Amino acid sequence: MLGLELVVALGVAILACSLGAERLRIGAPLLLLAGGVALGFVPAFRQVELPPEVVLLLFLPALLYWESLTTSLREIRSNLRGIVLSGTGLVLVTAAAVAFTANALGMPWGPAWVLGAALAPTDATAVAVLARSLPHRNVTVLRAESLINDGTALVIYAVAVGIVAGDGDYTPLSISGILALSYGGGIVSGLLVAWAGIWVRRRIQDPVLNNVATFITPFAAFLLAEETGGSGVLAVVVVGLIMSQAGPRVTAALARRQSQAFWSFSTFMLNAALFVLIGFELHVAVRLLSGPQIAVGLVAVAAVSIVLVVVRIAFLFVTTYMIRMIDRRPSQKLRRVSNRSRVLSGMAGFRGAVSLAAALGVPALTAAGTPFPDRGQIIFVTAGVILVTLTVQGPLLPVIVRWARLPQDTRLEEERRLAEVRAAEDGLSSLPELAARLGTDGRVVERVTHEYRHHLEVLRADGAAQPAGEPAPALAHWQQETELRLALLERKRTVLLALRDERTIDDRVLRMLETRLDVEELRLTQPDRDD
């Protein structure tokens, strides 16, 4: 029954901590982590451990796929150079800096490099949850970096573990080959699965089956890449980015709404469960060490946490000024950001589930049958650094955002308004032609034309400057109309429920009509919601 008890405990912890975070106005990951630590004291859960395979093969593909689907490809292209540098060069520099720090504190070079590789990548899950207060461009760059740096870090990790465990001989040439195969295999696997996914979805009309294909996609990409020696992480990112562009053309509206609802809910649960399980793993990490080792480990946690932030900020500054020296194009100058913005990005390098999975994945024994050196210390320091990034850097981020005094990012709102106005204008201008082609009755054309004109007036009024506290007449009328429609929807629900309670209509009829009312309510109350 332990599995069922764990599922219920996780669910209760996620619900309670998420509600508590809203009431207390603090980051939900902090309470979820605390909830996991608290549950770890329950005797029944003391032996619970998070298998690294679960994170790498179940959690990671799903979370990375959703992050890729919801990341701006345009922003990635615009900031590709910085993203690639952070996703590769910064990973190497960070791994080396952590390894040097751990070695200076007494850890042998081999295990030190394993620790460095485990802590080198930032975590897409943590970034997505904790960095929401940042401007759109900063968030996109951070998310894109965290999506690709796992591949580089896991290659370094595999080589370091292999060398320490004595599983094979590595040379600079062989390591370069592994890295090239990892990136090349990941990209090719992502392209192949994306092509197959598009081909399949074009031929499936049933929305439920279409979403079955959607669900399989990230796991198929991850599996294909791993089986061919490529990076499963990179494969999932590639297929996610491609499907974000192709999906709207190959997926019907109902399937798209179902898919969005499914992925939003499932990734929320996976994210939250990961933070709780990290709390569990802190108990495991402590039990692996004796008292004196814990003291050394705590010093290492503090030192490595500082090194991670310092190295990240220094790398961002150095690479930025090097690029400025080399590239003096006007387009490059337009994309420059302030030094405070770079400090902000430097403080947003959160560590999370991938680092923990890598640390837990360190084998217990080497090829010679001896214990893997400093395995307990690697797990302890990794878990401790993750704890620091979530409990110290996370709460500090809003403070640093205020200190940075970044200009308000209104571009997305302006682009949204532009797109809606253009679409409404085109629809209104093409309405007579479409009506003539379809043979639409004149009264229907007149009613639709009136609705489109009213909608366009509201959109234009929404973007126009108005005196403080005085909405434009079109906006005021729209707000009144919305309130009236919502009141009418509530009355309709009351009637439907009364008919069901009187057994005049069946529950299936109620659900069918209730779905239509729900869609109309969401259209009125949450027109901009994307999750």
Side-chain angles (χ1 to χ4, degrees):
M1 292 293 289
L2 179 60
L4 183 58
E5 293 170 353
L6 180 60
V7 169
V8 173
L10 280 175
V12 171
I14 291 170
L15 182 61
C17 293
S18 298
L19 290 173
E22 290 181 5
R23 292 270 181 105
L24 300 175
R25 295 184 179 180
I26 61 176
L30 303 183
L31 283 186
L32 291 167
L33 190 66
V37 172
L39 286 175
F41 287 106
V42 177
F45 297 143
R46 285 184 179 175
Q47 303 304 316
V48 172
E49 292 190 32
L50 179 61
E53 296 83 5
V54 172
V55 176
L56 293 176
L57 303 180
L58 176 62
F59 284 73
L60 199 58
L63 294 173
L64 289 177
Y65 185 62
W66 178 243
E67 289 298 319
S68 302
L69 281 176
T70 55
T71 297
S72 169
L73 184 58
R74 185 188 68 178
E75 287 294 325
I76 291 177
R77 287 169 176 163
S78 301
N79 299 279
L80 185 60
R81 181 166 50 193
I83 291 169
V84 171
L85 283 172
S86 297
T88 55
L90 179 55
V91 172
L92 293 168
V93 172
T94 302
V98 172
F100 180 84
T101 304
N103 180 258
L105 293 173
M107 185 178 289
W109 275 112
W113 271 100
V114 174
L115 176 64
L119 287 172
T122 54
D123 186 68
T125 299
V127 167
V129 174
L130 296 172
R132 289 177 178 173
S133 59
L134 273 62
H136 174 68
R137 178 184 174 185
N138 297 67
V139 174
T140 300
V141 173
L142 288 169
R143 289 173 66 184
E145 174 199 343
S146 62
L147 289 173
I148 68 171
N149 60 16
D150 294 337
T152 306
L154 291 177
V155 170
I156 302 172
Y157 167 83
V159 171
V161 170
I163 292 174
V164 176
D167 291 338
D169 297 324
Y170 294 93
T171 64
L173 183 61
S174 65
I175 294 173
S176 300
I178 293 172
L179 193 60
L181 178 61
S182 175
Y183 275 88
I187 292 172
V188 171
S189 298
L191 291 172
L192 289 174
V193 173
W195 174 84
I198 293 171
W199 186 88
V200 169
R201 288 190 216 181
R202 286 187 187 276
R203 287 156 178 79
I204 297 178
Q205 303 301 320
D206 186 289
V208 175
L209 295 180
N210 194 295
N211 280 303
V212 172
T214 303
F215 174 76
I216 295 172
T217 298
F219 300 101
F222 197 95
L223 176 63
L224 179 61
E226 291 295 318
E227 289 296 320
T228 56
S231 167
V233 169
L234 194 56
V236 173
V237 171
V238 168
V239 74
L241 291 174
I242 293 175
M243 294 311 301
S244 72
Q245 305 302 301
R249 292 186 173 89
V250 300
T251 307
L254 180 57
R256 194 159 51 244
R257 295 271 64 79
Q258 290 180 355
S259 175
Q260 202 160 22
F262 166 76
W263 285 108
S264 296
F265 173 73
S266 59
T267 52
F268 169 81
M269 291 297 293
L270 289 174
N271 270 327
L274 271 178
F275 288 119
V276 176
L277 290 171
I278 288 173
F280 273 104
E281 292 305 320
L282 292 175
H283 289 269
V284 177
V286 170
R287 289 198 296 267
L288 289 171
L289 304 178
S290 61
Q293 290 176 318
I294 290 176
V296 173
L298 290 173
V299 174
V301 167
V304 169
S305 298
I306 294 171
V307 166
L308 288 174
V309 174
V310 171
V311 167
R312 181 176 177 83
I313 293 176
F315 184 89
L316 292 176
F317 273 89
V318 170
T319 54
T320 296
Y321 284 101
M322 286 179 61
I323 290 172
R324 287 186 181 182
M325 291 173 59
I326 298 170
D327 189 350
R328 296 184 176 275
R329 293 175 300 169
S331 60
Q332 174 62 28
K333 292 181 180 180
L334 291 174
R335 298 200 61 80
R336 290 180 179 177
V337 297
S338 66
N339 288 334
R340 293 193 178 206
S341 178
R342 268 182 286 280
V343 173
L344 180 60
S345 296
M347 288 296 296
F350 305 109
R351 269 62 186 178
V354 175
S355 295
L356 185 62
L360 293 173
V362 174
L365 301 174
T366 65
T370 58
F372 194 99
D374 287 297
R375 180 178 183 270
Q377 197 71 268
I378 292 171
I379 296 175
F380 181 85
V381 174
T382 301
V385 170
I386 293 171
L387 179 65
V388 169
T389 63
L390 296 179
T391 59
V392 178
Q393 286 179 241
L396 273 177
L397 199 60
V399 178
I400 300 172
V401 169
R402 290 192 292 271
W403 166 81
R405 296 197 301 271
L406 300 179
Q408 186 176 3
D409 190 354
T410 61
R411 187 175 56 174
L412 283 183
E413 180 60 26
E414 292 168 357
E415 291 178 359
R416 179 196 65 80
R417 190 179 300 115
L418 171 66
E420 287 192 332
V421 169
R422 289 279 181 86
E425 288 175 341
D426 182 77
L428 190 59
S429 63
S430 62
L431 202 153
E433 177 189 346
L434 295 174
R437 188 171 67 193
L438 296 172
T440 308
D441 185 89
R443 289 171 296 182
V444 175
V445 175
E446 184 179 352
R447 184 170 69 250
V448 174
T449 300
H450 173 74
E451 290 178 0
Y452 261 71
R453 283 177 177 164
H454 174 63
H455 179 58
L456 195 53
E457 287 177 3
V458 171
L459 291 175
R460 287 171 175 166
D462 189 29
Q466 298 292 329
E470 296 182 17
L475 278 178
H477 294 161
W478 175 76
Q479 291 169 357
Q480 293 174 12
E481 180 183 338
T482 299
E483 292 173 356
L484 179 59
R485 288 181 180 273
L486 289 173
L488 288 171
L489 288 175
E490 190 60 34
R491 290 296 297 268
K492 286 184 179 180
R493 280 198 182 87
T494 303
V495 172
L496 292 177
L497 288 171
L499 290 172
R500 192 277 310 272
D501 295 341
E502 295 167 1
R503 300 183 183 180
T504 304
I505 63 173
D506 188 67
D507 286 286
R508 289 174 294 180
V509 175
L510 171 64
R511 287 193 295 268
M512 180 177 64
L513 296 177
E514 192 175 43
T515 299
R516 297 179 183 178
L517 296 180
D518 290 344
V519 170
E520 177 65 14
E521 180 180 338
L522 292 174
R523 186 183 69 82
L524 293 169
T525 58
Q526 301 182 25
D528 303 326
R529 188 172 178 84
D530 60 357
D531 57 8

